[in-house]
Amino acid sequence: MAISLQCFLFLICISIFSSTMAATDPPLTLDYYKSTCPNVFDIVKKEMECHVLSDPRNAAFILRLHFHDCFVQGCDGSILLDDTIELQGEKKASTNGLNSLKGFRIIDKIKNKLESECPGIVSCADILTIAARDAVILVGGPYWHVPVGRKDSKTASYDLAMENIPSANEGLLSIIAKFLYQGLSVIDMVALSGAHTIGMARCESFRARIYGDFEATSGKNPISDSYLSELRSVCPAIIGSGDNNVTAMDNVTPNLFDNSFYHTLLRGEGLLNSDQELYSSLFGIETKSLVQKYAADPVAFFNQFSDSMVKLGNITNSDSFVNGEVRKNCRFVNT
């Protein structure tokens, strides 16, 4: 049943995907800035080191920004745009946590450094993509090469942010469809979900989970009961009470990029419903197997995560290569 449904979703998504952006062969290269801004990678790395060492949570902020950027119009920096009279940005979309996204000031600082070094050369979209890689490395994660040469879009899409970005309480088949639409496989989806080994979630995102089927997936045992009680103390059942309270998505090693997230799912203690679905859903035959694989083999997880992050970063906005720009300020389209 699960296989046939996934195949059905795949065929639907491929028919749509064929005429839209794709994670395939974008015009990006590793040496795009070799002659125009040769120190770009060093500058981004140095700034990210300062910010992550001062607060490890900044790594998750930047990684989340990159993911949310790429799932809307491709990796074109649209997530960075502020609302103006003429443009509605993506930051206030509920799938972006109604302004709960953070890390914008870090990107602003990196942009300012690069504008001083090589004005008008490095796009905000490239800055965010490079910064996401460095963020992962700085908290113990794997390295991957970052092809560059993206342009910044002059548009954003609140509607696509609402449609394309998976939500915390979404079912597995719907999430699979959203990844397939971007040209990302089920393997990519499970590997990229491992990014939740770092970072925090807001009460509003996990309330339904901890007052819903958490006990059913985790089983009745003292350790899980204690963890659930702790979560409920952070997040009251009443909607509107403590909505912005946060807790770690990986309660074992929250500031270390490792495979602990998958062990959490094996225990049935995934904080977000969308995460636990990877292991517990009746439709998750393939995803369950991948969760078990990455829990048992951290090297396999790191290798696949690196490959999947390259694919994510290669989701391009074809329009931005024709009509895009290199923004002087990442928050606003050039005048």
Side-chain angles (χ1 to χ4, degrees), residues 314-325:
N314 285 353
I315 301 173
T316 56
N317 179 349
S318 58
D319 179 69
S320 70
F321 285 99
V322 178
N323 301 311
E325 62 185 8

Side-chain angles (χ1 to χ4, degrees), residues 6-116:
Q6 290 185 22
C7 287
F8 176 69
L9 283 167
F10 178 78
L11 292 172
I12 292 175
C13 291
I14 287 298
S15 66
I16 300 171
F17 170 73
S18 61
S19 60
T20 61
M21 67 192 75
T24 56
D25 300 324
L28 307 175
T29 62
L30 296 175
D31 61 353
Y32 184 83
Y33 296 114
K34 183 177 181 180
S35 61
T36 56
C37 194
N39 295 323
V40 57
F41 288 98
D42 291 336
I43 291 172
V44 175
K45 179 181 177 182
K46 183 177 180 180
E47 287 297 309
M48 285 304 300
E49 285 176 346
C50 292
H51 289 289
V52 174
L53 290 176
S54 66
D55 186 349
R57 293 179 302 174
N58 284 328
F61 294 156
I62 296 300
L63 187 54
R64 186 183 181 211
L65 272 185
H66 177 52
F67 178 88
H68 284 230
D69 182 39
C70 293
F71 261 56
V72 181
Q73 298 188 168
C75 309
D76 62 358
S78 62
I79 189 64
L80 304 173
L81 289 169
D82 283 349
D83 286 353
T84 67
I85 296 175
E86 299 175 344
L87 182 145
Q88 182 182 26
E90 300 161 11
K91 296 178 182 180
K92 294 180 181 178
S94 61
T95 49
N96 285 328
L98 296 174
N99 271 333
S100 73
L101 288 175
K102 298 181 180 180
F104 297 105
R105 292 182 180 179
I106 296 173
I107 301 301
D108 290 340
K109 290 181 179 179
I110 298 173
K111 179 62 173 175
N112 289 338
K113 290 279 187 181
L114 286 167
E115 283 298 299
S116 297

Side-chain angles (χ1 to χ4, degrees), residues 13-306:
C13 291
I14 287 298
S15 66
I16 300 171
F17 170 73
S18 61
S19 60
T20 61
M21 67 192 75
T24 56
D25 300 324
L28 307 175
T29 62
L30 296 175
D31 61 353
Y32 184 83
Y33 296 114
K34 183 177 181 180
S35 61
T36 56
C37 194
N39 295 323
V40 57
F41 288 98
D42 291 336
I43 291 172
V44 175
K45 179 181 177 182
K46 183 177 180 180
E47 287 297 309
M48 285 304 300
E49 285 176 346
C50 292
H51 289 289
V52 174
L53 290 176
S54 66
D55 186 349
R57 293 179 302 174
N58 284 328
F61 294 156
I62 296 300
L63 187 54
R64 186 183 181 211
L65 272 185
H66 177 52
F67 178 88
H68 284 230
D69 182 39
C70 293
F71 261 56
V72 181
Q73 298 188 168
C75 309
D76 62 358
S78 62
I79 189 64
L80 304 173
L81 289 169
D82 283 349
D83 286 353
T84 67
I85 296 175
E86 299 175 344
L87 182 145
Q88 182 182 26
E90 300 161 11
K91 296 178 182 180
K92 294 180 181 178
S94 61
T95 49
N96 285 328
L98 296 174
N99 271 333
S100 73
L101 288 175
K102 298 181 180 180
F104 297 105
R105 292 182 180 179
I106 296 173
I107 301 301
D108 290 340
K109 290 181 179 179
I110 298 173
K111 179 62 173 175
N112 289 338
K113 290 279 187 181
L114 286 167
E115 283 298 299
S116 297
E117 176 87 8
C118 30
I121 299 298
V122 182
S123 69
C124 300
D126 275 345
I127 292 171
L128 182 54
T129 306
I130 299 167
R133 187 273 309 273
D134 292 343
V136 170
I137 294 172
L138 288 165
V139 288
Y143 173 91
W144 63 91
H145 292 297
V146 179
V148 287
R150 298 164 188 82
K151 296 298 182 184
D152 297 321
S153 67
K154 296 180 180 178
T155 63
S157 180
Y158 178 95
D159 291 339
L160 285 180
M162 293 293 293
E163 294 172 10
N164 290 3
I165 298 173
S167 65
N169 292 308
E170 201 155 348
L172 180 63
L173 295 180
S174 177
I175 297 172
I176 288 173
K178 289 184 177 182
F179 273 78
L180 290 174
Y181 178 77
Q182 303 293 345
L184 298 169
S185 68
V186 172
I187 293 174
D188 295 320
M189 180 189 71
V190 178
L192 291 172
S193 296
H196 286 173
T197 191
I198 57 173
M200 315 288 279
R202 296 164 68 235
C203 165
E204 187 178 43
S205 297
F206 61 86
R207 177 181 283 117
R209 166 83 172 126
I210 64 174
Y211 291 100
D213 67 349
F214 190 97
E215 289 179 294
T217 60
S218 63
K220 297 292 291 183
N221 66 78
I223 295 177
S224 291
D225 286 347
S226 175
Y227 179 42
L228 180 57
S229 295
E230 179 184 332
L231 291 174
R232 287 178 173 175
S233 70
V234 172
C235 184
I238 301 173
I239 295 175
S241 176
D243 284 0
N244 292 320
N245 293 348
V246 297
T247 193
M249 288 185 281
D250 172 2
N251 68 318
V252 179
T253 54
N255 294 322
L256 178 65
F257 196 99
D258 57 15
N259 68 334
S260 176
F261 166 79
Y262 298 104
H263 290 277
T264 300
L265 301 186
L266 294 183
R267 295 192 301 271
E269 297 177 355
L271 184 63
L272 305 181
N273 180 70
S274 55
D275 286 339
Q276 192 59 48
E277 282 273 293
L278 298 175
Y279 185 72
S280 300
S281 173
L282 294 175
F283 302 114
I285 297 174
E286 182 179 2
T287 59
K288 182 175 183 177
S289 175
L290 289 166
V291 168
Q292 293 169 328
K293 175 182 178 179
Y294 298 146
D297 189 347
V299 174
F301 165 50
F302 271 29
N303 288 340
Q304 185 57 56
F305 185 83
S306 298

